[in-house]
Amino acid sequence: MTTLIPVLGDQLSHALSSLAGQDKKTCVILMAELDEETAYVPHHKSKMAFILSAMRHHADDLRSAGWTVDYVKLTDPENSGSFTGELARALERHSASAICVTEAGEWRVKAMLDSWADRFDVPVEIRADDRFLCDHAEFESWAKDRKQLRMEYFYRDMRRKSKLLMDGDAPAGGQWNFDAENRKPAKRDLAMPQPLHFAPDDITQDVIHMVEAKFATNMGQTAKFGFAVTRADALKQQAYFLKHALPPFGDYQDAMLTDEPFLWHSILSPYLNTGLLDPLELCRAVEAQYQAGKVPINAAEGFIRQVIGWREYVRGIYWHAGPQYVESNALGAERPLPEFYWTGKTDMHCLSQTVDQTIAYSYAHHIQRLMITGNFALLAGINPVDVHRWYLAVYADAYEWVELPNSLGMSQFADGGMLASKPYAASGAYINRMSDYCSSCRYDVKQKTGPKACPFNALYWEFIARNEDRLRKNPRMAMPYKNWDRMAETDKVALRRQAQQFLETLG
Ligand code: FAD
Ligand code: DLZ
Ligand code: SF4
């Protein structure tokens, strides 16, 4: 009586629900490197190297913990290329009589897992993924009957539920949210922390060679690969972050600096999303730093809000919105993604900085994703599916459940406001306020028209004008439309012409 337990690439947790209560002597864990998973988008080379190496290390860890692990490599000549195909082969190999699996993290793979009960002659148990604070039923009951879904109210419930940063029934520090204190521009500081660099061991080097050979044309470099690929190393990055980057994290959460890809961010999302780190354990460690007086409330709250607020909220939205969410295009944006998203070759300094570091590290922090690459795509009217597929491909932390609501919902407003109350659209002035990018750009952020004018300026007003029918009634857009209404007709025409001329250069 053997139970087969497929463990997917984002299920690298020892406390995974499918392993709970199992008898190690009668179970075989199946892990497989698959064509289907490496090809659903053209993943960044470092993203692939990270996931495949973390899978190989996790298989070894599980073996050390007494599990039997059947691991199929991408180069195995018999490899069928899909979860279902590998499960069929493994069922035979092990004469298994049952399958137990933790639910999938996305609609595509969920459909696959749901088909197994009909397809195979053995019972299939699909267990809930309990690595999240809020399960599907709880989110549905929270969302039911609400006219608008807003993260802030959901987040307060998660604070109450987890008891994180709570003084009895009240929020620690007297406020739920210290966001207003999290918007300071940063100055270059020689003592700025840099994330730990984990030199690739033999396993990682093998994976990197394979990825470089098999996916030579994919975006991305592996030369600077330094991700942790084990839980032990991911915990080292967690400890490093708590000590060195968390204290100023709150102040500089929205800041951007030239040639500083990481600033005071945690660089923990790849580990949280593969399961190497546990979100609640991390948040409790952050809370302990606050309670010990080592970090201010705006840092602790700001960080915990991202994890039990935004991260849980976007997952809730993903499953609540259904598999057709990906088709949303509320602003009717149809322009194809410009080539420079893949190459970094653009004379807009903010964009080349963000894309170049994405190519080098498979990482960009939130404000770069939202207010540089996301904002540009929104203003230029890029097709949201193209934008979504780009984000899903290029970041080491990208899985559809977390990437899609962030890209399509938060950054492109393609869901018409299901996730966010207004579009995150901004002109060059915002980028200039929050970064030092503009001082070394060939464009002048203060100019709105003419050959040196920052493209974000005219594009911003073009966005406002183009979407007037859809956005004017949004109360949070009242100010931009008031300013637009005040503008002289000749200025409006000049701005729109400037934007059109620029858009034509995108091809
Ligand atoms: P920190 O700034 O240190 O934040 C701490 C943690 O909070 C992160 O590790 C992450 O787990 C969580 N977090 C913060 N913001 C969000 C958010 N909006 N949604 C979910 N979790 C959040 N995050 C992903 O994990 N995967 C993605 O594919 C992804 N795609 C994104 C696409 C766009 C267009 C945007 C605007 C945001 C996206 N995010 C995504 C959210 C956020 O940008 C990343 O979580 C963050 O940059 C990861 O870096 P970090 O670990 O240093 O984060
Ligand atoms: C992202 C990814 C990649 C690139 N490769 C694999 C793989 O070869 N095998 C695997 O099990 N998982 C991989 N993954 C992660 C899966 O795509 C992820 O687990 C599913 O999308 C389910 O959310
Ligand atoms: Fe970006 Fe405009 Fe600033 Fe150049 S001037 S860095 S294009 S915002």
Side-chain angles (χ1 to χ4, degrees), residues 346-352 371-372 376 427-432 435-447 452-457:
T346 164
D347 54 10
M348 290 175 277
H349 187 58
C350 52
L351 279 157
S352 67
M371 300 311 293
I372 305 293
F376 182 86
S427 68
Y430 172 87
I431 296 171
N432 192 32
S435 78
D436 65 358
Y437 291 151
C438 302
S439 56
S440 29
C441 183
R442 94 140 186 87
Y443 294 106
D444 181 350
V445 70
K446 299 260 168 4
Q447 292 187 35
K452 286 205 73 189
C454 165
F456 280 84
N457 293 337

PDB file of all heavy atoms in Angstrom, residues 346-352 371-372 376 427-432 435-447 452-457, ligand 3:
ATOM      1  N   THR A 346      16.497  51.359 -23.646  1.00  0.00           N
ATOM      2  CA  THR A 346      15.654  52.543 -23.765  1.00  0.00           C
ATOM      3  C   THR A 346      16.421  53.715 -23.167  1.00  0.00           C
ATOM      4  O   THR A 346      17.241  53.508 -22.258  1.00  0.00           O
ATOM      5  CB  THR A 346      14.307  52.387 -23.037  1.00  0.00           C
ATOM      6  OG1 THR A 346      13.715  53.687 -22.875  1.00  0.00           O
ATOM      7  CG2 THR A 346      14.456  51.773 -21.657  1.00  0.00           C
ATOM      8  N   ASP A 347      16.156  54.926 -23.678  1.00  0.00           N
ATOM      9  CA  ASP A 347      16.860  56.080 -23.113  1.00  0.00           C
ATOM     10  C   ASP A 347      16.117  56.677 -21.919  1.00  0.00           C
ATOM     11  O   ASP A 347      16.522  57.704 -21.393  1.00  0.00           O
ATOM     12  CB  ASP A 347      17.151  57.130 -24.193  1.00  0.00           C
ATOM     13  CG  ASP A 347      15.908  57.552 -24.947  1.00  0.00           C
ATOM     14  OD1 ASP A 347      14.789  57.189 -24.524  1.00  0.00           O
ATOM     15  OD2 ASP A 347      16.043  58.259 -25.968  1.00  0.00           O
ATOM     16  N   MET A 348      15.029  56.051 -21.490  1.00  0.00           N
ATOM     17  CA  MET A 348      14.360  56.499 -20.255  1.00  0.00           C
ATOM     18  C   MET A 348      15.081  55.826 -19.089  1.00  0.00           C
ATOM     19  O   MET A 348      14.998  54.606 -18.910  1.00  0.00           O
ATOM     20  CB  MET A 348      12.874  56.119 -20.305  1.00  0.00           C
ATOM     21  CG  MET A 348      12.104  56.948 -21.325  1.00  0.00           C
ATOM     22  SD  MET A 348      10.396  56.409 -21.507  1.00  0.00           S
ATOM     23  CE  MET A 348      10.566  55.053 -22.652  1.00  0.00           C
ATOM     24  N   HIS A 349      15.776  56.622 -18.304  1.00  0.00           N
ATOM     25  CA  HIS A 349      16.689  56.073 -17.301  1.00  0.00           C
ATOM     26  C   HIS A 349      15.970  55.230 -16.247  1.00  0.00           C
ATOM     27  O   HIS A 349      16.467  54.179 -15.820  1.00  0.00           O
ATOM     28  CB  HIS A 349      17.447  57.228 -16.634  1.00  0.00           C
ATOM     29  CG  HIS A 349      18.518  56.798 -15.700  1.00  0.00           C
ATOM     30  ND1 HIS A 349      19.570  55.993 -16.082  1.00  0.00           N
ATOM     31  CD2 HIS A 349      18.702  57.028 -14.376  1.00  0.00           C
ATOM     32  CE1 HIS A 349      20.365  55.767 -15.044  1.00  0.00           C
ATOM     33  NE2 HIS A 349      19.848  56.372 -13.997  1.00  0.00           N
ATOM     34  N   CYS A 350      14.793  55.678 -15.822  1.00  0.00           N
ATOM     35  CA  CYS A 350      14.061  54.919 -14.794  1.00  0.00           C
ATOM     36  C   CYS A 350      13.729  53.518 -15.315  1.00  0.00           C
ATOM     37  O   CYS A 350      13.834  52.523 -14.582  1.00  0.00           O
ATOM     38  CB  CYS A 350      12.797  55.669 -14.389  1.00  0.00           C
ATOM     39  SG  CYS A 350      11.743  56.160 -15.774  1.00  0.00           S
ATOM     40  N   LEU A 351      13.354  53.442 -16.584  1.00  0.00           N
ATOM     41  CA  LEU A 351      12.988  52.139 -17.155  1.00  0.00           C
ATOM     42  C   LEU A 351      14.216  51.277 -17.405  1.00  0.00           C
ATOM     43  O   LEU A 351      14.206  50.065 -17.138  1.00  0.00           O
ATOM     44  CB  LEU A 351      12.192  52.341 -18.444  1.00  0.00           C
ATOM     45  CG  LEU A 351      10.707  52.638 -18.190  1.00  0.00           C
ATOM     46  CD1 LEU A 351      10.073  53.353 -19.360  1.00  0.00           C
ATOM     47  CD2 LEU A 351       9.934  51.359 -17.874  1.00  0.00           C
ATOM     48  N   SER A 352      15.288  51.872 -17.919  1.00  0.00           N
ATOM     49  CA  SER A 352      16.476  51.040 -18.189  1.00  0.00           C
ATOM     50  C   SER A 352      17.053  50.527 -16.869  1.00  0.00           C
ATOM     51  O   SER A 352      17.485  49.378 -16.779  1.00  0.00           O
ATOM     52  CB  SER A 352      17.522  51.783 -19.021  1.00  0.00           C
ATOM     53  OG  SER A 352      18.064  52.837 -18.284  1.00  0.00           O
ATOM     54  N   MET A 371       5.426  51.522 -10.142  1.00  0.00           N
ATOM     55  CA  MET A 371       5.441  52.911 -10.597  1.00  0.00           C
ATOM     56  C   MET A 371       6.421  53.175 -11.749  1.00  0.00           C
ATOM     57  O   MET A 371       6.433  54.269 -12.302  1.00  0.00           O
ATOM     58  CB  MET A 371       5.747  53.851  -9.421  1.00  0.00           C
ATOM     59  CG  MET A 371       4.717  53.765  -8.295  1.00  0.00           C
ATOM     60  SD  MET A 371       2.993  53.866  -8.820  1.00  0.00           S
ATOM     61  CE  MET A 371       2.892  55.539  -9.420  1.00  0.00           C
ATOM     62  N   ILE A 372       7.239  52.192 -12.113  1.00  0.00           N
ATOM     63  CA  ILE A 372       8.109  52.386 -13.290  1.00  0.00           C
ATOM     64  C   ILE A 372       7.581  51.506 -14.432  1.00  0.00           C
ATOM     65  O   ILE A 372       6.901  52.007 -15.324  1.00  0.00           O
ATOM     66  CB  ILE A 372       9.594  52.085 -12.963  1.00  0.00           C
ATOM     67  CG1 ILE A 372      10.068  52.926 -11.755  1.00  0.00           C
ATOM     68  CG2 ILE A 372      10.460  52.337 -14.200  1.00  0.00           C
ATOM     69  CD1 ILE A 372      10.136  54.417 -11.974  1.00  0.00           C
ATOM     70  N   PHE A 376       4.391  52.806 -16.647  1.00  0.00           N
ATOM     71  CA  PHE A 376       4.629  53.094 -18.067  1.00  0.00           C
ATOM     72  C   PHE A 376       3.642  52.297 -18.933  1.00  0.00           C
ATOM     73  O   PHE A 376       3.018  52.841 -19.856  1.00  0.00           O
ATOM     74  CB  PHE A 376       6.068  52.764 -18.473  1.00  0.00           C
ATOM     75  CG  PHE A 376       6.346  53.106 -19.912  1.00  0.00           C
ATOM     76  CD1 PHE A 376       6.731  54.390 -20.270  1.00  0.00           C
ATOM     77  CD2 PHE A 376       6.157  52.165 -20.921  1.00  0.00           C
ATOM     78  CE1 PHE A 376       6.933  54.733 -21.602  1.00  0.00           C
ATOM     79  CE2 PHE A 376       6.361  52.494 -22.254  1.00  0.00           C
ATOM     80  CZ  PHE A 376       6.755  53.781 -22.593  1.00  0.00           C
ATOM     81  N   SER A 427       2.785  60.896 -13.327  1.00  0.00           N
ATOM     82  CA  SER A 427       3.673  61.557 -14.290  1.00  0.00           C
ATOM     83  C   SER A 427       5.115  61.469 -13.783  1.00  0.00           C
ATOM     84  O   SER A 427       5.377  60.882 -12.719  1.00  0.00           O
ATOM     85  CB  SER A 427       3.256  63.019 -14.442  1.00  0.00           C
ATOM     86  OG  SER A 427       3.533  63.684 -13.221  1.00  0.00           O
ATOM     87  N   GLY A 428       6.041  62.102 -14.517  1.00  0.00           N
ATOM     88  CA  GLY A 428       7.444  62.084 -14.115  1.00  0.00           C
ATOM     89  C   GLY A 428       7.681  62.699 -12.734  1.00  0.00           C
ATOM     90  O   GLY A 428       8.626  62.334 -12.043  1.00  0.00           O
ATOM     91  N   ALA A 429       6.809  63.613 -12.322  1.00  0.00           N
ATOM     92  CA  ALA A 429       7.022  64.306 -11.032  1.00  0.00           C
ATOM     93  C   ALA A 429       7.090  63.295  -9.881  1.00  0.00           C
ATOM     94  O   ALA A 429       7.916  63.423  -8.976  1.00  0.00           O
ATOM     95  CB  ALA A 429       5.907  65.313 -10.793  1.00  0.00           C
ATOM     96  N   TYR A 430       6.228  62.282  -9.917  1.00  0.00           N
ATOM     97  CA  TYR A 430       6.255  61.270  -8.839  1.00  0.00           C
ATOM     98  C   TYR A 430       7.596  60.527  -8.849  1.00  0.00           C
ATOM     99  O   TYR A 430       8.226  60.347  -7.808  1.00  0.00           O
ATOM    100  CB  TYR A 430       5.094  60.271  -9.018  1.00  0.00           C
ATOM    101  CG  TYR A 430       5.218  59.112  -8.040  1.00  0.00           C
ATOM    102  CD1 TYR A 430       4.683  59.202  -6.762  1.00  0.00           C
ATOM    103  CD2 TYR A 430       5.927  57.945  -8.378  1.00  0.00           C
ATOM    104  CE1 TYR A 430       4.835  58.165  -5.845  1.00  0.00           C
ATOM    105  CE2 TYR A 430       6.095  56.912  -7.476  1.00  0.00           C
ATOM    106  CZ  TYR A 430       5.538  57.027  -6.213  1.00  0.00           C
ATOM    107  OH  TYR A 430       5.703  55.998  -5.303  1.00  0.00           O
ATOM    108  N   ILE A 431       8.035  60.147 -10.031  1.00  0.00           N
ATOM    109  CA  ILE A 431       9.292  59.379 -10.130  1.00  0.00           C
ATOM    110  C   ILE A 431      10.453  60.250  -9.656  1.00  0.00           C
ATOM    111  O   ILE A 431      11.345  59.788  -8.941  1.00  0.00           O
ATOM    112  CB  ILE A 431       9.481  58.874 -11.584  1.00  0.00           C
ATOM    113  CG1 ILE A 431       8.350  57.891 -11.928  1.00  0.00           C
ATOM    114  CG2 ILE A 431      10.856  58.216 -11.767  1.00  0.00           C
ATOM    115  CD1 ILE A 431       8.268  57.482 -13.378  1.00  0.00           C
ATOM    116  N   ASN A 432      10.397  61.517 -10.009  1.00  0.00           N
ATOM    117  CA  ASN A 432      11.456  62.443  -9.578  1.00  0.00           C
ATOM    118  C   ASN A 432      11.448  62.621  -8.061  1.00  0.00           C
ATOM    119  O   ASN A 432      12.498  62.725  -7.428  1.00  0.00           O
ATOM    120  CB  ASN A 432      11.243  63.786 -10.281  1.00  0.00           C
ATOM    121  CG  ASN A 432      12.454  64.686 -10.118  1.00  0.00           C
ATOM    122  OD1 ASN A 432      13.582  64.191 -10.051  1.00  0.00           O
ATOM    123  ND2 ASN A 432      12.228  65.976 -10.043  1.00  0.00           N
ATOM    124  N   SER A 435      12.834  59.160  -6.418  1.00  0.00           N
ATOM    125  CA  SER A 435      14.076  58.534  -6.895  1.00  0.00           C
ATOM    126  C   SER A 435      15.101  59.595  -7.267  1.00  0.00           C
ATOM    127  O   SER A 435      14.788  60.789  -7.305  1.00  0.00           O
ATOM    128  CB  SER A 435      13.794  57.685  -8.144  1.00  0.00           C
ATOM    129  OG  SER A 435      13.677  58.525  -9.288  1.00  0.00           O
ATOM    130  N   ASP A 436      16.310  59.127  -7.593  1.00  0.00           N
ATOM    131  CA  ASP A 436      17.307  60.048  -8.170  1.00  0.00           C
ATOM    132  C   ASP A 436      17.496  59.740  -9.656  1.00  0.00           C
ATOM    133  O   ASP A 436      18.483  60.145 -10.260  1.00  0.00           O
ATOM    134  CB  ASP A 436      18.640  59.928  -7.410  1.00  0.00           C
ATOM    135  CG  ASP A 436      19.292  58.556  -7.581  1.00  0.00           C
ATOM    136  OD1 ASP A 436      18.694  57.675  -8.255  1.00  0.00           O
ATOM    137  OD2 ASP A 436      20.399  58.352  -7.060  1.00  0.00           O
ATOM    138  N   TYR A 437      16.564  59.003 -10.259  1.00  0.00           N
ATOM    139  CA  TYR A 437      16.727  58.578 -11.653  1.00  0.00           C
ATOM    140  C   TYR A 437      16.790  59.770 -12.621  1.00  0.00           C
ATOM    141  O   TYR A 437      17.556  59.762 -13.589  1.00  0.00           O
ATOM    142  CB  TYR A 437      15.569  57.677 -12.089  1.00  0.00           C
ATOM    143  CG  TYR A 437      15.520  56.304 -11.439  1.00  0.00           C
ATOM    144  CD1 TYR A 437      14.292  55.643 -11.258  1.00  0.00           C
ATOM    145  CD2 TYR A 437      16.682  55.645 -11.040  1.00  0.00           C
ATOM    146  CE1 TYR A 437      14.235  54.381 -10.685  1.00  0.00           C
ATOM    147  CE2 TYR A 437      16.622  54.378 -10.458  1.00  0.00           C
ATOM    148  CZ  TYR A 437      15.397  53.752 -10.284  1.00  0.00           C
ATOM    149  OH  TYR A 437      15.328  52.504  -9.721  1.00  0.00           O
ATOM    150  N   CYS A 438      15.954  60.769 -12.371  1.00  0.00           N
ATOM    151  CA  CYS A 438      15.787  61.824 -13.384  1.00  0.00           C
ATOM    152  C   CYS A 438      17.059  62.653 -13.574  1.00  0.00           C
ATOM    153  O   CYS A 438      17.300  63.169 -14.669  1.00  0.00           O
ATOM    154  CB  CYS A 438      14.611  62.723 -13.013  1.00  0.00           C
ATOM    155  SG  CYS A 438      13.079  61.786 -12.847  1.00  0.00           S
ATOM    156  N   SER A 439      17.876  62.740 -12.513  1.00  0.00           N
ATOM    157  CA  SER A 439      19.062  63.609 -12.625  1.00  0.00           C
ATOM    158  C   SER A 439      20.075  63.045 -13.625  1.00  0.00           C
ATOM    159  O   SER A 439      20.918  63.780 -14.117  1.00  0.00           O
ATOM    160  CB  SER A 439      19.711  63.805 -11.257  1.00  0.00           C
ATOM    161  OG  SER A 439      20.019  62.551 -10.719  1.00  0.00           O
ATOM    162  N   SER A 440      19.998  61.744 -13.937  1.00  0.00           N
ATOM    163  CA  SER A 440      20.922  61.245 -14.966  1.00  0.00           C
ATOM    164  C   SER A 440      20.166  60.688 -16.177  1.00  0.00           C
ATOM    165  O   SER A 440      20.571  59.698 -16.770  1.00  0.00           O
ATOM    166  CB  SER A 440      21.888  60.207 -14.387  1.00  0.00           C
ATOM    167  OG  SER A 440      21.313  59.522 -13.329  1.00  0.00           O
ATOM    168  N   CYS A 441      19.083  61.366 -16.518  1.00  0.00           N
ATOM    169  CA  CYS A 441      18.292  60.922 -17.682  1.00  0.00           C
ATOM    170  C   CYS A 441      18.467  61.911 -18.821  1.00  0.00           C
ATOM    171  O   CYS A 441      18.669  63.108 -18.594  1.00  0.00           O
ATOM    172  CB  CYS A 441      16.818  60.866 -17.286  1.00  0.00           C
ATOM    173  SG  CYS A 441      15.742  60.243 -18.586  1.00  0.00           S
ATOM    174  N   ARG A 442      18.355  61.425 -20.037  1.00  0.00           N
ATOM    175  CA  ARG A 442      18.494  62.341 -21.170  1.00  0.00           C
ATOM    176  C   ARG A 442      17.261  63.242 -21.297  1.00  0.00           C
ATOM    177  O   ARG A 442      17.283  64.282 -21.944  1.00  0.00           O
ATOM    178  CB  ARG A 442      18.766  61.555 -22.452  1.00  0.00           C
ATOM    179  CG  ARG A 442      17.558  61.203 -23.303  1.00  0.00           C
ATOM    180  CD  ARG A 442      17.944  61.380 -24.787  1.00  0.00           C
ATOM    181  NE  ARG A 442      16.877  61.225 -25.737  1.00  0.00           N
ATOM    182  CZ  ARG A 442      16.060  62.204 -26.116  1.00  0.00           C
ATOM    183  NH1 ARG A 442      16.099  63.384 -25.558  1.00  0.00           N
ATOM    184  NH2 ARG A 442      15.150  61.984 -27.055  1.00  0.00           N
ATOM    185  N   TYR A 443      16.160  62.853 -20.649  1.00  0.00           N
ATOM    186  CA  TYR A 443      14.942  63.677 -20.685  1.00  0.00           C
ATOM    187  C   TYR A 443      14.904  64.615 -19.489  1.00  0.00           C
ATOM    188  O   TYR A 443      15.526  64.351 -18.457  1.00  0.00           O
ATOM    189  CB  TYR A 443      13.692  62.772 -20.661  1.00  0.00           C
ATOM    190  CG  TYR A 443      13.560  61.932 -21.899  1.00  0.00           C
ATOM    191  CD1 TYR A 443      13.842  60.561 -21.867  1.00  0.00           C
ATOM    192  CD2 TYR A 443      13.170  62.496 -23.109  1.00  0.00           C
ATOM    193  CE1 TYR A 443      13.734  59.782 -23.004  1.00  0.00           C
ATOM    194  CE2 TYR A 443      13.060  61.716 -24.257  1.00  0.00           C
ATOM    195  CZ  TYR A 443      13.341  60.370 -24.196  1.00  0.00           C
ATOM    196  OH  TYR A 443      13.239  59.606 -25.332  1.00  0.00           O
ATOM    197  N   ASP A 444      14.128  65.683 -19.639  1.00  0.00           N
ATOM    198  CA  ASP A 444      13.959  66.645 -18.548  1.00  0.00           C
ATOM    199  C   ASP A 444      12.580  66.430 -17.928  1.00  0.00           C
ATOM    200  O   ASP A 444      11.550  66.627 -18.578  1.00  0.00           O
ATOM    201  CB  ASP A 444      14.087  68.074 -19.128  1.00  0.00           C
ATOM    202  CG  ASP A 444      13.944  69.129 -18.046  1.00  0.00           C
ATOM    203  OD1 ASP A 444      13.570  68.787 -16.904  1.00  0.00           O
ATOM    204  OD2 ASP A 444      14.203  70.313 -18.354  1.00  0.00           O
ATOM    205  N   VAL A 445      12.596  66.040 -16.670  1.00  0.00           N
ATOM    206  CA  VAL A 445      11.335  65.682 -16.008  1.00  0.00           C
ATOM    207  C   VAL A 445      10.416  66.891 -15.841  1.00  0.00           C
ATOM    208  O   VAL A 445       9.194  66.745 -15.702  1.00  0.00           O
ATOM    209  CB  VAL A 445      11.625  64.998 -14.647  1.00  0.00           C
ATOM    210  CG1 VAL A 445      12.186  65.982 -13.635  1.00  0.00           C
ATOM    211  CG2 VAL A 445      10.397  64.288 -14.109  1.00  0.00           C
ATOM    212  N   LYS A 446      10.974  68.088 -15.905  1.00  0.00           N
ATOM    213  CA  LYS A 446      10.148  69.302 -15.709  1.00  0.00           C
ATOM    214  C   LYS A 446       9.429  69.705 -17.010  1.00  0.00           C
ATOM    215  O   LYS A 446       8.492  70.478 -16.983  1.00  0.00           O
ATOM    216  CB  LYS A 446      11.035  70.473 -15.249  1.00  0.00           C
ATOM    217  CG  LYS A 446      11.739  70.223 -13.917  1.00  0.00           C
ATOM    218  CD  LYS A 446      10.978  70.909 -12.831  1.00  0.00           C
ATOM    219  CE  LYS A 446      11.305  70.602 -11.412  1.00  0.00           C
ATOM    220  NZ  LYS A 446      12.322  69.771 -10.954  1.00  0.00           N
ATOM    221  N   GLN A 447       9.910  69.209 -18.153  1.00  0.00           N
ATOM    222  CA  GLN A 447       9.290  69.623 -19.431  1.00  0.00           C
ATOM    223  C   GLN A 447       8.158  68.675 -19.821  1.00  0.00           C
ATOM    224  O   GLN A 447       8.268  67.464 -19.655  1.00  0.00           O
ATOM    225  CB  GLN A 447      10.349  69.640 -20.542  1.00  0.00           C
ATOM    226  CG  GLN A 447      11.399  70.742 -20.340  1.00  0.00           C
ATOM    227  CD  GLN A 447      12.321  70.853 -21.539  1.00  0.00           C
ATOM    228  OE1 GLN A 447      11.902  70.656 -22.690  1.00  0.00           O
ATOM    229  NE2 GLN A 447      13.581  71.179 -21.284  1.00  0.00           N
ATOM    230  N   LYS A 452      12.982  67.242 -25.447  1.00  0.00           N
ATOM    231  CA  LYS A 452      13.617  66.795 -24.202  1.00  0.00           C
ATOM    232  C   LYS A 452      12.597  66.437 -23.108  1.00  0.00           C
ATOM    233  O   LYS A 452      12.964  66.009 -22.010  1.00  0.00           O
ATOM    234  CB  LYS A 452      14.558  67.891 -23.675  1.00  0.00           C
ATOM    235  CG  LYS A 452      15.846  68.014 -24.461  1.00  0.00           C
ATOM    236  CD  LYS A 452      16.946  68.597 -23.617  1.00  0.00           C
ATOM    237  CE  LYS A 452      17.424  67.562 -22.601  1.00  0.00           C
ATOM    238  NZ  LYS A 452      18.319  68.064 -21.604  1.00  0.00           N
ATOM    239  N   ALA A 453      11.319  66.612 -23.408  1.00  0.00           N
ATOM    240  CA  ALA A 453      10.301  66.415 -22.359  1.00  0.00           C
ATOM    241  C   ALA A 453      10.237  64.956 -21.902  1.00  0.00           C
ATOM    242  O   ALA A 453      10.284  64.035 -22.712  1.00  0.00           O
ATOM    243  CB  ALA A 453       8.941  66.842 -22.895  1.00  0.00           C
ATOM    244  N   CYS A 454      10.119  64.760 -20.599  1.00  0.00           N
ATOM    245  CA  CYS A 454       9.977  63.402 -20.047  1.00  0.00           C
ATOM    246  C   CYS A 454       8.713  62.755 -20.612  1.00  0.00           C
ATOM    247  O   CYS A 454       7.612  63.299 -20.455  1.00  0.00           O
ATOM    248  CB  CYS A 454       9.875  63.498 -18.525  1.00  0.00           C
ATOM    249  SG  CYS A 454       9.268  61.971 -17.785  1.00  0.00           S
ATOM    250  N   PRO A 455       8.832  61.577 -21.247  1.00  0.00           N
ATOM    251  CA  PRO A 455       7.660  60.952 -21.868  1.00  0.00           C
ATOM    252  C   PRO A 455       6.518  60.672 -20.890  1.00  0.00           C
ATOM    253  O   PRO A 455       5.347  60.662 -21.265  1.00  0.00           O
ATOM    254  CB  PRO A 455       8.217  59.645 -22.430  1.00  0.00           C
ATOM    255  CG  PRO A 455       9.678  59.896 -22.629  1.00  0.00           C
ATOM    256  CD  PRO A 455      10.078  60.846 -21.539  1.00  0.00           C
ATOM    257  N   PHE A 456       6.855  60.433 -19.616  1.00  0.00           N
ATOM    258  CA  PHE A 456       5.798  60.125 -18.643  1.00  0.00           C
ATOM    259  C   PHE A 456       4.803  61.285 -18.505  1.00  0.00           C
ATOM    260  O   PHE A 456       3.646  61.062 -18.164  1.00  0.00           O
ATOM    261  CB  PHE A 456       6.407  59.818 -17.262  1.00  0.00           C
ATOM    262  CG  PHE A 456       6.954  58.418 -17.141  1.00  0.00           C
ATOM    263  CD1 PHE A 456       8.235  58.115 -17.574  1.00  0.00           C
ATOM    264  CD2 PHE A 456       6.193  57.398 -16.590  1.00  0.00           C
ATOM    265  CE1 PHE A 456       8.745  56.829 -17.468  1.00  0.00           C
ATOM    266  CE2 PHE A 456       6.687  56.104 -16.467  1.00  0.00           C
ATOM    267  CZ  PHE A 456       7.974  55.820 -16.908  1.00  0.00           C
ATOM    268  N   ASN A 457       5.264  62.532 -18.758  1.00  0.00           N
ATOM    269  CA  ASN A 457       4.380  63.683 -18.536  1.00  0.00           C
ATOM    270  C   ASN A 457       3.238  63.729 -19.549  1.00  0.00           C
ATOM    271  O   ASN A 457       2.067  63.753 -19.163  1.00  0.00           O
ATOM    272  CB  ASN A 457       5.198  64.977 -18.582  1.00  0.00           C
ATOM    273  CG  ASN A 457       6.148  65.052 -17.401  1.00  0.00           C
ATOM    274  OD1 ASN A 457       5.915  64.406 -16.377  1.00  0.00           O
ATOM    275  ND2 ASN A 457       7.225  65.813 -17.541  1.00  0.00           N
TER     276      ASN A 457
HETATM  277 FE1  SF4 B   3      12.059  58.510 -16.136  1.00  0.00          FE
HETATM  278 FE2  SF4 B   3      11.224  60.873 -17.087  1.00  0.00          FE
HETATM  279 FE3  SF4 B   3      12.787  60.794 -14.955  1.00  0.00          FE
HETATM  280 FE4  SF4 B   3      13.762  60.158 -17.354  1.00  0.00          FE
HETATM  281  S1  SF4 B   3      12.995  62.145 -16.713  1.00  0.00           S
HETATM  282  S2  SF4 B   3      14.102  59.058 -15.428  1.00  0.00           S
HETATM  283  S3  SF4 B   3      12.008  59.152 -18.291  1.00  0.00           S
HETATM  284  S4  SF4 B   3      10.709  59.966 -15.098  1.00  0.00           S
END
